[in-house]
Amino acid sequence: MSYTKINETTWNRWSNQGIRWSQPVTPETFAKAKRGDWDISLTTQVFVPKNWFGDLQGKKVLGLASAGGQQCPILVAAGAEVTIMDLSIGQLEKEAVVAEREGYHINIVKSDMTETFPFEDEEFDLIFHPVSNCFVADLEPIWKECYRVLKPGGRLLSGFCNPELYMFNNASKPEEIRLIHPLPYNPLTDFNDEERQTIIEDDGLQFSHSLETQIRGQLQAGFLLKDFYEDFNKDADYLLSTYFPLFFASLAIKF
Ligand SMILES: C[S@@+](CC[C@H](N)C(=O)[O-])C[C@H]1O[C@@H](n2cnc3c(N)ncnc32)[C@H](O)[C@@H]1O
């Protein structure tokens, strides 16, 4: 079975369990967003600066690996025409549930981002790509596909993991934090079958990507980097976030 199929099964399970990344917006949050009062995140806590979006009214937006009913409904409320593409049917169903509840149309596409995106060249004005490329082994084809499906001048908003987080154990107390793995981290090659099975059950198959593959990868695909920030809010769910930023976000423009 391919590693993305394994991640698909894992995401369907997590979505069923209603983990943090799978909890759709409430009717109240959607109603507020319709009145222009909204914020969304590409990472965990820090909100994306509003000027990263530009004017969303009537814009064609692709939510890339962004399902779960969290960000796409807000982008719809802000006036965008949204397509959501994700691997997990469980996550996509949440988008359908919110769309039905709030009475709007969203184009729902089940697809694996490691494959050619099922869209025409230059179809979108903006891609919203929250933390998710940690579930993919090779980023280069994804940056290229993002470049292809964006219009000239189009925006790519991406969230991604600080690779350093894969160097440490999942400790619950500061005195238990240990260095356990050199970078890069690749569960397909670095562990035996039994260890890999435990990893799949706990975290899915995740890969640490260097900043070179994240940032230079976008530049090499043809993007220009316009802005960047670190998600360094202290987060009770992640002890390591007390020590260093666990997530980054970038705004790139198709040149
Ligand atoms: C952390 S969640 C991000 C979405 C979430 N709404 C949020 O708040 O950020 C990661 C998403 O990536 C999707 N995903 C993982 N691997 C994928 C792949 N190969 N192709 C497309 N989507 C993928 C998962 O199904 C999941 O919905």
Side-chain angles (χ1 to χ4, degrees):
M1 196 193 283
S2 77
Y3 79 89
T4 57
K5 269 270 160 222
I6 294 173
N7 280 338
E8 179 178 343
T9 307
T10 302
W11 268 103
N12 285 336
R13 174 164 53 83
W14 285 342
S15 196
N16 264 338
Q17 291 166 351
I19 64 161
R20 158 182 195 164
W21 314 107
S22 310
Q23 292 173 14
V25 288
T26 62
E28 293 73 29
T29 304
F30 185 80
K32 259 175 74 186
K34 289 282 269 185
R35 299 194 295 273
D37 182 2
W38 59 272
D39 277 304
I40 52 177
S41 180
L42 283 162
T43 50
T44 50
Q45 300 204 10
V46 175
F47 293 128
V48 183
K50 280 287 167 38
N51 65 3
W52 283 29
F53 295 97
D55 178 13
L56 282 169
Q57 201 60 46
K59 292 287 159 49
K60 290 194 77 175
V61 169
L62 172 63
L64 179 61
S66 179
Q70 293 173 309
Q71 296 98 354
C72 290
I74 302 298
L75 295 167
V76 170
E81 201 184 301
V82 179
T83 296
I84 172 68
M85 170 179 143
D86 200 283
L87 181 72
S88 157
I89 205 77
Q91 289 285 80
L92 291 169
E93 272 167 13
K94 302 211 168 166
E95 295 291 342
V97 165
V98 180
E100 164 108 32
R101 186 187 78 200
E102 305 297 345
Y104 63 77
H105 172 75
I106 184 168
N107 186 22
I108 295 181
V109 178
K110 181 186 176 310
S111 196
D112 182 344
M113 64 179 156
T114 64
E115 293 165 12
T116 304
F117 296 179
F119 307 114
E120 301 292 325
D121 294 356
E122 302 186 1
E123 207 174 310
F124 297 99
D125 297 288
L126 185 147
I127 298 177
F128 187 86
H129 184 32
V131 171
S132 54
N133 71 19
C134 50
F135 294 99
V136 160
D138 183 10
L139 299 189
E140 194 186 332
I142 296 175
W143 299 134
K144 283 188 173 153
E145 279 299 280
C146 287
Y147 192 85
R148 181 183 68 77
V149 303
L150 272 174
K151 296 176 186 171
R155 299 165 185 236
L156 171 61
L157 282 62
S158 310
F160 46 91
C161 297
N162 183 341
E164 290 174 9
L165 74 90
Y166 295 92
M167 292 163 50
F168 297 94
N169 62 329
N170 189 12
S172 53
K173 293 187 196 140
E175 59 273 25
E176 289 169 358
I177 295 176
R178 280 184 297 113
L179 268 175
I180 53 162
H181 205 286
L183 296 180
Y185 170 91
N186 181 338
L188 298 179
T189 53
D190 302 347
F191 302 96
N192 65 35
D193 287 349
E194 197 183 322
E195 289 166 333
R196 192 173 308 107
Q197 202 45 46
T198 309
I199 288 168
I200 289 169
E201 263 144 49
D202 292 349
D203 302 318
L205 290 167
Q206 298 191 33
F207 305 84
S208 74
H209 295 294
S210 64
L211 290 182
E212 215 170 87
T213 46
Q214 297 281 11
I215 308 254
R216 189 161 184 244
Q218 295 185 53
L219 301 173
Q220 297 269 305
F223 289 102
L224 286 185
L225 197 65
K226 180 91 166 72
D227 206 354
F228 181 86
Y229 63 86
E230 298 176 338
D231 191 323
F232 200 1
N233 273 6
K234 308 224 182 309
D235 184 340
D237 283 1
Y238 298 101
L239 177 61
L240 287 177
S241 71
T242 321
Y243 296 84
F244 59 88
L246 297 191
F247 303 99
F248 303 126
S250 65
L251 168 63
I253 310 290
K254 174 168 175 171
F255 190 54

